[in-house]
Amino acid sequence: MTVRDGWGIPTVTGGSLLEVAHEQGRVTAQDRAWQLDVERRRAEGTCAEVFGPTALEWDVLARRSLLADVARRAYAVLAPESRAFVAAYVEGVNEVLERRWHPWTPLAVFGVQHLLFSTFPSKLWRRHLAATVGAEGEPWLHLLRTEGLPGGSNAVAVAGSLTASGLPILAGDPHRVIEAPGCYAQVRLVCTDPDDLFDVAGLSFVGVPGVQHFGHTGSAAWGVTNAVADDEDVYDEQLVREGDAVLARGADAWEPVGRRVEVVRVRTGPDTYDAVPVEVLVTDRGPVVTGGPDLPGTYSLRNPSYVLGDLGFDTLVPLLRSRTATDVLAAFGPWVGPVDNLLVADTAGHVEHRVVGRVPVRDAEGRWTGWVDDLPRRSGPLLVTANDRATPDFARIGDDFAPPHRAARLTELVTDLAAQSPVTPETLAAVVADDRQTAGEALLAVIGRLRDLAPRASALQERLLAWDRRMSVDSTEAALFAAVRTAVVERLVSSPILADADTSPHGELFAPWFDLRGRIRLALPALLAAEKPFGVDPLQAVAEALEEVAAAPEPAPWGTAHVVVPLTPHQQFGLPAPAGDEVPFVAVGGDDDCVLAARSLGGVGACVHGPVARFVWDLAGGSRWVVPLGSSGDPDSPHHHDQQESWAAGGTVPLERPATGGER
């Protein structure tokens, strides 16, 4: 049985765990039928059958990375109750969809969400960068070792000693590509079995049962950010073909490579298709994801899910039954990946931050010998995680984290907030939507050092130094700052040392990770503090940029160009959205370097990456949440984008708990 609140968000009620799962699957398929079909195709590598040649790159990667194979293996090793839970969800989905899902499809859909939301694209980029800049650029490569694309998530846990209710509050906002429909569905799951009672509200990946990363059970709550752990390896493979066989160069000899050929159907017209063979290769190290026999740039990928044949789905059922923070932490015991910063809190006052997932231990030759068993953890009245190196212990899980700017800003804001008055759900919600520049202070500091500027540039200098640092939609100074930053980035990118670095050798699918301008923009504070990085004098570059922008016409306020563009599946594959599927574009504040990390194309244009949800779990009962669009995937539904205005303004809507019961 399902009832809906005023935002169309479903409360799913069942008399048993499996009834809840079945109804969740059925309701999800009602709300997001087209999206579920696309997610299934992404998992199986059959998108080109619908979207044509522009989707072929994804289909090839999905096949070669063994998304479906790993999902089948992971489904087979699930605990019996977990397997039945997933199967019941799929039965509900199949009551609605024309194309039936396999029992393992939700695991493959989960794999889709994290295949590129991982470290391996950035590792490919670093290899490419090192190869193209050579010895001349090597001294500055470490300056670019920051969190790569995508990223930007935040989470904050506040103990009851700092809140108005005396109970903890947990808030956050995961950042990803902003899709239409969104990747998360708001849901409430209620089981009325007297021996298995639960009532859980949270955010669920569309196509995955239960509530995974962000949930509230009434007496316990949790949320995550990506821990940016070093949990994957890419291997430079040398492959040769011998007849129908493929061999890989091993440490001491040539080794046989697992090989099969699959066929991808590619739509070429209304009723015409090409059949494109895809060679799926697996070395002793992992599946080959780029290149091939006798080709340069051939890499295999090794990650924990592939090695273990496990996607961590034995976490899902225990999460629904969690009553305490300790229960939540125990539920995440089987978690595999992505490796996450988990914040938990409960009504007993337990507040904790713990890293969860599988991080490999490597020997001197880089071989995996086990898993890190002393993952970082901490407790305290205020815990903040923003993909940063939260403590020195994080050295055990990696060395590429987000700069500390967002975490420091969040800590400052909540500390100041608590000093003035007790924290409430509304005030904490506003904190995670903060639009003040953080890392941008480094550029402003250099601007402040400039002397002997021309009159117009001097006037712009004074204007920027007097600016309140807010990347708000009505701020012209925010637009001027972004223009100056872009001009500085261009001067760094134009360095002859970087001449061959601004390209993706692995196709357009990987282009966002190989965007040199985006990488330079994120690392700008470190580059501005260096001595002539890549041969460019930072002071001169900033002076020239200031002169350039001062001579140009006054830009429109930041929100004129900084509009959010939710990407439909067609648009994600480089096609125009079908008529009727368009989503209104709305101005949104924030920027790369804000807590509200709403990233712009080119640093000054449309925003396609930002918070894909915002949540505040109040253990006293005043919880709030919001998504970029709405609960429905149907453009004709009144709930298709009815939350967009609140989301774009940095707001949230109340988490309503309608009485269970009503019509199906």
Side-chain angles (χ1 to χ4, degrees), residues 332-350:
F332 272 97
W335 194 250
V336 176
V339 179
D340 286 323
N341 293 297
L342 172 67
L343 293 188
V344 294
D346 64 22
T347 51
H350 185 165

Side-chain angles (χ1 to χ4, degrees), residues 13 81 165 280 292 367 464 496 520 523 570:
T13 303
E81 187 177 48
S165 68
V280 179
R367 292 182 295 241
L464 288 175
I520 295 274
H570 284 82

